[in-house]
Structure formats: structure tokens, C-alpha cells
Amino acid sequence: MHVLDLLQSDSLGLTLLWGEEHLLGQEVSGVTATDLEDPGRFLGPGELVLSGLVWWSPGTAAEAKTDRFVAALASAGARALLAGEETHGRVPDELVAACREHRMPLVAVPARTSFRAVTEAVYLRQWGDLSRRQNRLFALPENVRGELSRLLEGGAGPAELLDRACAHLGRVPCYLLTASGRTVARTPSAPALPAAAPSGAGGAVRRPRGGVSLRVEAESSPYDAWQLHVPDADAAPPRVLHEIAEVLAQYRDGENRRGAVRRAAGRELLALVAAEAEPDLLGAALAAAGLPARGPYRVLAATDADALAEALEHLDGVRWAVGETGAVLYEGPRAAPATGPAGTPAGPAHPGASGGGGADGDSEGDSEGDGGGGGVVDRLRALWPLLRACAAPEADLRLGVGARAASAEGLRASLSQARFALTAADGAVAVRGVEQLGTLAELLSGVPPEVRGVFGARTLGPLGDGMLRETLEVFLANNCSWTRTAEALHLHVNTVHYRIERVEALTGRDLSRLDHKLDLYAALRC
């Protein structure tokens, strides 16, 4: 199968925008559809890339963004880019120029041609003409369709559905993965994949290479979108995979409705915690959210609840309830999740509880006596790059973790701590635990910027931004040593004495007192 084969198809109506003949004649191994700005980590060598160009927008940054996108395709060994015209009405000139620069064949896909039609054309061409393959099953048999419908009605989980859908194909390895790399389900013959596998310093998600990947079309966030993946491109016809994906989409729609109920219970629980509700009300809310009546617990505060929920799904055996602004975790003894026939969790043990969501979640949790919160924070911090890789570049993804609460009465304090830690979290440390605030600078970073600004201005305002403020900074940095300060500023010691006296007079602080030194140091940090 080559790109030229697709260009010769009148039904698809594709137009070659750039491509040299020898590049168009290279063998194609598969096809992947993506609209990520940096899709390289999801691609395998020899693949065609379908993109609706949702990631592209006109402006000053368009050229750089386009170059990064095409460079990622070239680095991954993609055979060609098939760009849809529907989003912008045409393929942008910047994209044509970038493809020419990186020697990446570029083909325009008209609005009337669906990406599914292109995908099927690729794989049907690879497997040969259907009329010459009468003995090959190119659709799910009726008995399999009927069985899957009954399983759906009976409340079967994704592991059982995937197992039964693929059973008639033989021992076909097949995975159901989320956008963040979590294994939702896999067939019995599919070897385990790491639930969280950052690759390189950038923390990008390491994806399976080659094979066939098909998105399950159901409502989802950027972090937990489902993808059906078959490592062997010849193992199943495209129509079969599409039908399996449609069955899984039906399950996902139902799971989304159940998830909405659980999310509502989590919202109610967090609202009662914030309102310092009576113990009886808290107990009822904990039960409604699927959490035990007795602790220990821990509260998390997040800027994106969808990202937080997917991160928690990676944590095997952890029970939790998520609302709009955070989550409550139960940190007591961990019960082993129920498993489906494929050896993967069949689903939460009850609303609000997580069985890890995959075949290969983390197997080690926090010890009972871990009061420092390092286990939870470290595990979530290790997972956070997987979520970051799925989000838009401008997305604000931060997480604050409160201290462990021994009982429901301590949830309010843990929530306040989590919110403070969230404020202290930043681009350098996106996941921060309150117990890990080890310096005055880290403590102050949790104070709202508006408050820090007022304190800094009121305390240091009389000094202005000139030599007095600079002298104060150097004086404190040198442990209030007159000699070292004079040397650092290339001044006479008497000049330093004079300036510090002026600082004390203008600020009303006495730098021989520790508390006054701390006032000025904190103001400088603010």
C-alpha cells in the first residue's frame, strides 16, 4: 500500500499538494488520526497521518507551530500527512511550506471525504480485494453482535466486552487505552503494557508503535479518551474494529452517565467539607460518594478535575471521590479490585471507588503509617507529565495535596491545606503537597499574589526600587555582615551603615531584631 494508491482513488477525491514520486511510493504500514500539536509520540514508522488541522490557527505563531507539527511527523518516520480542508476551508500555505522543508508528502482531504473512508481504504487495500477473500470474516458475526448486546444490557465491563468481541478472531492481542496511556482493558493474549511510561525528560507518553489504533467515539476529556489498539495490523479487518469500537462507545456512554452521578456525589461531599458540615451529614456524603465512614482520608485540590480523575485512575486500588475542584481519597487498607476475564479490573467496587482502571496500575501504595504524604504526592507527580502531554500547551494543570486526616472531622483542615498547596504549585512544581513546603519562600508562594503584593508594597514601598532596596537585599543575603555587604556592593563600610540606617528609619524596622529581619526578608520574597 502506497500513498499513490490513495491518490488514484476517484471516490476519495484527494489532492496532492506536495510530494516527490519516490516518497509517494514508499510502503505504508498503517494510519493514525490526530489533532495534537505534537503528535510524534503517538506515531509509528511508515504511518499515514490524518489531521483535521484543529490545532492550527492563523497568527504570528502559526509558522513556528506548523513547523513543530511537521517536524514531529518527520522524526517519527511518517509516510505522508493527509490534511482535512473542512476546518479552515483549505490547507494553509504555512503547512505546504513546512512539508516541503521537511520533505513530508502533503495530501488535501476534501470536506466531503470522511477520515473513516480514508482509513478503511488503507487497510482494505492492505488486505486485498474482499471479493477474493470470501473465507475472511470482515464483520462481526451475528451471534457475536447478539452476545455483545446482551452483555451490554447485563452491565458487563470493558474487559469482558473486549474479550468476547475479539474471541472469534483467535488469540488476537488487543488493547483499550486512554489518551494518558492507561490500560482500561486487554485481551488474554495481550501482554501487559506499563500504565504510566514517561519517555525522556519531557515526560511524553510512550505509545505502542505500529499496528492499528482507532478512537472510540464517545464523550471524553483530553486525558481519558479511549483508543482501540491492535499491534498486528493484519489481525482484524477494519470493519470489525469499527464495530468493536462502536460497542465500546455504547458502554462508555453508559459509564459517562454513571460517572456523572459519582461526580455529583463528589461535589456534594466537597461542598459539605468546605462548609464544615455536621458529622452526620459528612458521614452520609461519604457513603453516597462510595467512601468508608472512617478514615484516614486526604483531600486534593486541582485546577482540572478531569485530569485529576484520570491520574487517580492510574493508582491501583485507591478509593476516591472527585468533584469539580478536587477529590477526597480514602487511605485505609486497600482491597484488591475485582477482575474481569482478561485479568483486568471489571470496574469500581462501588461508586466513587477506583480499581486502578487498568491491567497494570501501580502495585505499591502508601503505607498505613505514612503521615508525610510523600507516597501520594510522589505517585501523582510521576503521573502528571502523562496528563500534561495530553493537554493543550496553555492548559493550567496544577495539584495541591493536603495532609492526612485521621477522621471525617479533619477533612476541612486537609481541604484548606490542599488549597494552599495548590496556590503554591507552579510550572516548576505542578504537584505540591502541603507537608513538602519546607522553606519560607515555598510557604509564601501559597499566599495569594494579591496579598503578597500588598504586604510587599506596604513594607518596602518607602524604599523605592533604587539603592536602598538593593543594599537591603545584599545585606540580608550576606547574613547582615557589614564587611561582606560592602565588598559585594564595592562600597565603604560607613556607606553601608548609612544606607541601612535609612532603611530602618523608612520602614520602621530594627535590623538587629530577628523578627524585623524576617519581616523585611519576607517582603522581599513577596
Side-chain angles (χ1 to χ4, degrees), residues 60-265:
T60 55
E63 186 173 343
K65 184 185 296 185
T66 303
D67 187 76
R68 285 196 302 271
F69 180 85
V70 179
L73 268 57
S75 297
R79 288 289 183 254
L81 170 61
L82 278 65
E85 294 181 325
E86 183 173 6
T87 303
H88 302 288
R90 64 180 184 86
V91 176
D93 295 337
E94 292 90 341
L95 187 57
V96 179
C99 286
R100 183 180 291 107
E101 174 69 22
H102 292 280
R103 301 181 61 76
M104 176 62 54
L106 176 62
V107 177
V109 181
R112 64 176 178 81
T113 301
S114 70
F115 281 4
R116 176 171 177 170
V118 176
T119 302
E120 290 191 346
V122 171
Y123 290 118
L124 289 176
R125 178 65 184 239
Q126 285 183 326
W127 288 323
D129 190 271
L130 294 183
S131 63
R132 299 197 302 271
R133 304 283 294 279
Q134 294 296 332
N135 62 334
R136 184 73 181 267
L137 293 174
F138 284 90
L140 285 175
E142 285 299 326
N143 65 316
V144 176
R145 288 199 193 95
E147 180 184 11
L148 293 176
S149 295
R150 290 190 295 273
L151 288 172
L152 275 173
E153 292 174 3
E160 186 175 2
L161 291 170
L162 186 65
D163 179 31
R164 299 311 305 153
C166 295
H168 74 289
L169 298 172
R171 293 180 57 81
V172 175
C174 185
Y175 299 88
L176 183 60
L177 307 173
T178 66
S180 70
R182 174 171 58 92
T183 300
V184 178
R186 57 187 171 94
T187 55
S189 60
L193 292 176
S199 62
V205 182
R206 184 182 300 132
R207 295 291 184 156
R209 294 288 185 174
V212 184
S213 295
L214 186 66
R215 180 184 170 90
V216 175
E217 297 295 340
E219 184 177 349
S220 61
S221 74
Y223 316 101
D224 66 351
W226 284 5
Q227 183 182 66
L228 189 64
H229 178 73
V230 181
D232 182 1
D234 294 327
R239 184 173 172 185
V240 167
L241 294 182
H242 278 292
E243 291 189 17
I244 294 174
E246 288 168 1
V247 171
L248 293 170
Q250 293 178 53
Y251 169 82
R252 182 67 190 269
D253 288 338
E255 181 61 22
N256 286 341
R257 291 190 291 272
R258 294 185 288 272
V261 174
R262 294 194 293 269
R263 186 68 69 90

Side-chain angles (χ1 to χ4, degrees), residues 171-399:
R171 293 180 57 81
V172 175
C174 185
Y175 299 88
L176 183 60
L177 307 173
T178 66
S180 70
R182 174 171 58 92
T183 300
V184 178
R186 57 187 171 94
T187 55
S189 60
L193 292 176
S199 62
V205 182
R206 184 182 300 132
R207 295 291 184 156
R209 294 288 185 174
V212 184
S213 295
L214 186 66
R215 180 184 170 90
V216 175
E217 297 295 340
E219 184 177 349
S220 61
S221 74
Y223 316 101
D224 66 351
W226 284 5
Q227 183 182 66
L228 189 64
H229 178 73
V230 181
D232 182 1
D234 294 327
R239 184 173 172 185
V240 167
L241 294 182
H242 278 292
E243 291 189 17
I244 294 174
E246 288 168 1
V247 171
L248 293 170
Q250 293 178 53
Y251 169 82
R252 182 67 190 269
D253 288 338
E255 181 61 22
N256 286 341
R257 291 190 291 272
R258 294 185 288 272
V261 174
R262 294 194 293 269
R263 186 68 69 90
R267 285 197 302 269
E268 178 67 16
L269 172 59
L270 285 168
L272 290 173
V273 170
E276 300 185 79
E278 295 296 323
D280 289 346
L281 289 176
L282 275 181
L286 285 165
L291 299 180
R294 295 184 178 181
Y297 310 102
R298 192 186 299 275
V299 180
L300 312 180
T303 54
D304 191 312
D306 291 330
L308 174 58
E310 176 62 11
L312 292 173
E313 288 281 10
H314 279 269
L315 303 184
D316 180 38
V318 176
R319 302 170 71 177
W320 45 267
V322 168
E324 290 302 318
T325 57
V328 176
L329 272 65
Y330 170 68
E331 292 200 321
R334 301 169 62 201
T339 57
T344 58
H350 54 80
S354 169
D360 306 289
D362 294 309
S363 60
E364 297 186 9
D366 304 309
S367 65
E368 283 291 318
D370 176 19
V376 168
V377 177
D378 290 345
R379 293 164 74 192
L380 289 171
R381 185 173 290 148
L383 288 164
W384 216 246
L386 304 177
L387 287 304
R388 178 74 267 174
C390 300
E394 67 276 7
D396 179 18
L397 285 186
R398 291 178 292 115
L399 177 64

